[in-house]
Amino acid sequence: MRFADLAALPNVELGLTNAGTTYSEVAAFAHLPLDFARFDKTVVRDFHTPRAKQIMQRTLEISRDNDAFHVVFDGVETLEQVEFIRSIGGTLAEGTLLSNAMNANEFLMRLETMGTSLPEAAPRQAE
């Protein structure tokens, strides 16, 4: 099965994760029927370097020119990274900016102290 045939199947979304770790893949973006490309955290972390900037900018240009796929910036940890992503036209970011991980018990305790609770799960019916 060819890549294009796979992309044409219903309910199939194709994406490239860990994008930006090899320069040659940027040229391939223009020829692949992708739904999304997710930049590797190391590329986002190195956004100050000329090579990382060039890779991210070029990938966004290809995406806009072809109206082809969404570009996700993974590993966003600072406001400076957000400002850079916005400056080059990026709109989708994931990361730990302004968040703290907590376990389920702490999360439930915080909800309780705020006077909020999670809805009760409906009982599962036997099949």
Side-chain angles (χ1 to χ4, degrees), residues 63-74:
S63 173
R64 282 190 296 262
D65 291 348
N66 298 333
D67 194 28
F69 55 91
H70 299 286
V71 179
V72 181
F73 295 83
D74 194 8

Side-chain angles (χ1 to χ4, degrees), residues 17 66 97:
T17 59
N66 298 333
L97 180 66

Side-chain angles (χ1 to χ4, degrees), residues 16-17 19 21 29-30 37 42 46-47 53 57 66 68 74-75 80 89-90 92 94 101 109 113 115 122 124:
L16 182 63
T17 59
T21 53
F29 284 138
T42 58
D46 292 340
F47 76 98
K53 283 183 183 181
Q57 288 172 322
N66 298 333
D74 194 8
E80 193 176 12
L92 300 173
E94 291 183 0
M109 184 178 68
T113 60
R124 295 185 103 183

Side-chain angles (χ1 to χ4, degrees), residues 111 117-122:
L111 286 177
S117 63
L118 293 176
E120 292 293 323

Side-chain angles (χ1 to χ4, degrees), residues 12-31:
V12 171
E13 286 192 4
L14 297 176
L16 182 63
T17 59
N18 301 321
T21 53
T22 59
Y23 189 77
S24 61
E25 70 195 19
V26 175
F29 284 138
H31 305 289

